[in-house]
Amino acid sequence: MTEPSKKPWMNEDWLAVWIAFLLIALATIGVLGKNGINIVF
Amino acid sequence: MSSAQSVRSSLRLWGASLGGLAVTFLLAVAAWWVSRQVGAVKLPFGIPGKALEYPLWAALLGVLGNVLLRALKMREYLQPGVHTELYLKIGLVLLGAGVDLTLIVSAARGAILQSLVMISGVFFFCWWLAGRFGLDEKLRAVMASAVSICGVSAAIAAAGSVLARKEQVTYITALVILVALPLMVLSPLLASALGLSQTVAGAWFGGNIDTTAAVVGAGTLYGEQAQKIATIVKSTQNTLIGLVAFLLALYFASREAGAGTRPGVRVIWDRFPKFVLGFLLASVLYSMGVIDGGKGTTIEALKNWAFTLAFVSMGLELSFSEFRSMGWRPVMVFLLVTLFNTFLALGVAWVVFTWLFPVG
């Protein structure tokens, strides 16, 4: 792409990894789940 | 730009991002609700409602939302809040939390072999065919990368390497999504008609469908093992983006006079999909019993929500307007290459995962 673009503050891949592991941690300690905020699907 | 204008533009961007986010979440909840309602009933011709799983409804509602937002002239405004790739990558890391490392190890050899055959075969076929149709060389490079590796991400990576025009990237991105959506639905039906095993079908979806979201969608529609194998095969293919981007940069730099500095090997790491590392780490933690993302767990529900958001976003991002500017000749090339890709991937997946490296 020829237009110079502003660099994002964090690479989207790493952002996804951080968010996913935050969600995993919240689910593992019980903040999310049957005894916390119940996420059903 | 004055400071008042700058504040106004920031507020507008924030409003658009939050609005886009709200629309995506609302449609995801609607897709979840519809799939639960349909899942409980028996459809005509004895088809169980459960067969029509959430990827289908999420993509369909995304497309309907897209049409509605266009009619209200709000689609462009809300676009900054639509993040298909981000939701997809979160979902893929969460998926890793339910995949045993032994499955990854046993599927890895086949996945690597299949990826090498598919990428080189489809890339060069596309490059040759697009040349025969007289397409611009940079458009050829972006299209060949998108169709042979992983759709949107590969198109963006290749465009960065060959300095393609922005319209060429949006054009290919629109084509990728347009073709991937029907393939996501048709591939599992074809696999079922052909009686393919979960492993071969998953490998086929991973090798054939361009965009990772649709690969996961097709795998989900076919079954749990198919979803896992499709993800492993597609992720293996994704890891080769960096190498292809590097080789393309090298090729175009050598052809264009005054192209400046030669590209460094660092581009291989820059373009490497880091979420794959998250997927592997989650799988290691699952295999060690530290976390559990297996069936019926909260992590599995979170993964399904992330994928639902990705499928809705994919529907919201679908666009036809780019075709007017670039014409239908590249569409022909893309469709012919997709057909070639479909048959080649079926043959390669069948040979590799049935005979060479079967997965137990």
Side-chain angles (χ1 to χ4, degrees):
Chain A
M1 279 169 281
T2 46
E3 290 167 33
S5 55
K6 227 165 78 177
K7 220 175 172 175
W9 62 280
M10 189 193 260
N11 176 299
E12 190 184 66
D13 282 20
W14 288 126
L15 180 63
V17 173
W18 279 110
I19 294 174
F21 275 99
L22 177 69
L23 292 171
I24 289 171
L26 291 174
T28 305
I29 61 174
V31 175
L32 297 174
K34 283 183 189 120
N35 301 318
I37 304 164
N38 201 4
I39 306 287
V40 287
F41 196 93
Chain B
M1 195 187 286
S2 74
S3 64
Q5 272 178 318
S6 161
V7 168
R8 252 202 307 276
S9 136
S10 286
L11 281 175
R12 194 180 149 80
L13 190 65
W14 270 96
S17 297
L18 289 175
L21 218 59
V23 168
T24 313
F25 273 79
L26 276 174
L27 288 171
V29 172
W32 167 77
W33 185 82
V34 173
S35 64
R36 275 178 82 104
Q37 301 306 311
V38 177
V41 297
K42 206 162 185 128
L43 301 167
F45 308 109
I47 300 167
K50 270 194 159 175
L52 305 178
E53 288 212 47
Y54 69 91
L56 211 63
W57 301 112
L60 188 68
L61 286 176
V63 173
L64 289 176
N66 185 337
V67 172
L68 189 68
L69 289 175
R70 274 174 197 277
L72 297 170
K73 302 206 183 307
M74 286 180 72
R75 184 182 168 272
E76 292 306 314
Y77 171 69
L78 296 174
Q79 201 59 31
V82 180
H83 300 285
T84 309
E85 295 276 308
L86 179 67
Y87 300 132
L88 177 69
K89 288 164 185 172
I90 294 171
L92 289 169
V93 177
L94 293 169
L95 175 69
V99 177
D100 202 295
L101 199 61
T102 52
L103 179 67
I104 297 177
V105 172
S106 67
R109 284 179 306 171
I112 292 169
L113 178 63
Q114 180 177 315
S115 298
L116 290 173
V117 174
M118 290 306 300
I119 291 177
S120 44
V122 176
F123 185 97
F124 287 113
F125 178 72
C126 183
W127 181 266
W128 169 79
L129 192 69
R132 300 278 295 179
F133 273 74
L135 300 193
D136 172 85
E137 206 169 39
K138 288 181 178 176
L139 184 65
R140 284 164 73 188
V142 176
M143 187 189 282
S145 305
V147 82
S148 68
I149 311 172
C150 60
V152 179
S153 323
I156 294 167
S161 294
V162 306
L163 303 177
R165 294 199 313 275
K166 202 176 174 191
E167 310 86 79
Q168 293 177 319
V169 185
T170 46
Y171 179 80
I172 296 296
T173 304
L175 256 180
V176 163
I177 299 175
L178 191 69
V179 173
L181 277 173
L183 273 182
M184 180 179 94
V185 181
L186 290 175
S187 301
L189 291 174
L190 274 171
S192 183
L194 292 168
L196 299 186
S197 70
Q198 289 275 320
T199 301
V200 173
W204 182 37
F205 305 152
N208 170 35
I209 304 173
D210 294 334
T211 192
T212 312
V215 168
V216 174
T220 310
L221 292 172
Y222 204 65
E224 204 183 328
Q225 174 84 350
Q227 187 197 47
K228 289 175 181 172
I229 295 290
T231 303
I232 293 168
V233 168
K234 195 68 182 171
S235 299
T236 308
Q237 220 161 289
N238 287 353
T239 58
L240 295 166
I241 298 176
L243 185 64
V244 175
F246 171 69
L247 293 174
L248 278 173
L250 212 59
Y251 173 76
F252 276 86
S254 68
R255 281 177 61 95
E256 286 172 10
T261 52
R262 290 177 77 80
V265 282
R266 200 191 140 78
V267 76
I268 297 176
W269 169 246
D270 286 343
R271 305 287 184 199
F272 185 85
K274 281 87 177 174
F275 70 87
V276 173
L277 300 177
F279 172 80
L280 286 174
L281 178 63
S283 170
V284 169
L285 293 174
Y286 171 70
S287 307
M288 288 165 63
V290 179
I291 57 174
D292 185 8
K295 217 162 173 52
T297 60
T298 305
I299 296 175
E300 197 216 14
L302 287 165
K303 174 204 78 181
N304 291 340
W305 277 115
F307 284 150
T308 305
L309 289 165
F311 300 135
V312 165
S313 307
M314 198 165 69
L316 285 172
E317 282 187 337
L318 187 66
S319 170
F320 294 95
S321 54
E322 286 78 12
F323 298 120
R324 262 175 255 133
S325 59
M326 223 162 281
W328 291 90
R329 212 154 30 112
V331 179
M332 276 306 294
V333 177
F334 194 90
L335 292 177
L336 287 170
V337 177
T338 300
L339 206 62
F340 172 79
N341 195 0
T342 301
F343 286 109
L344 183 67
L346 180 60
V348 173
W350 189 71
V351 170
V352 170
F353 286 93
T354 305
W355 303 104
L356 299 176
F357 304 115
V359 176

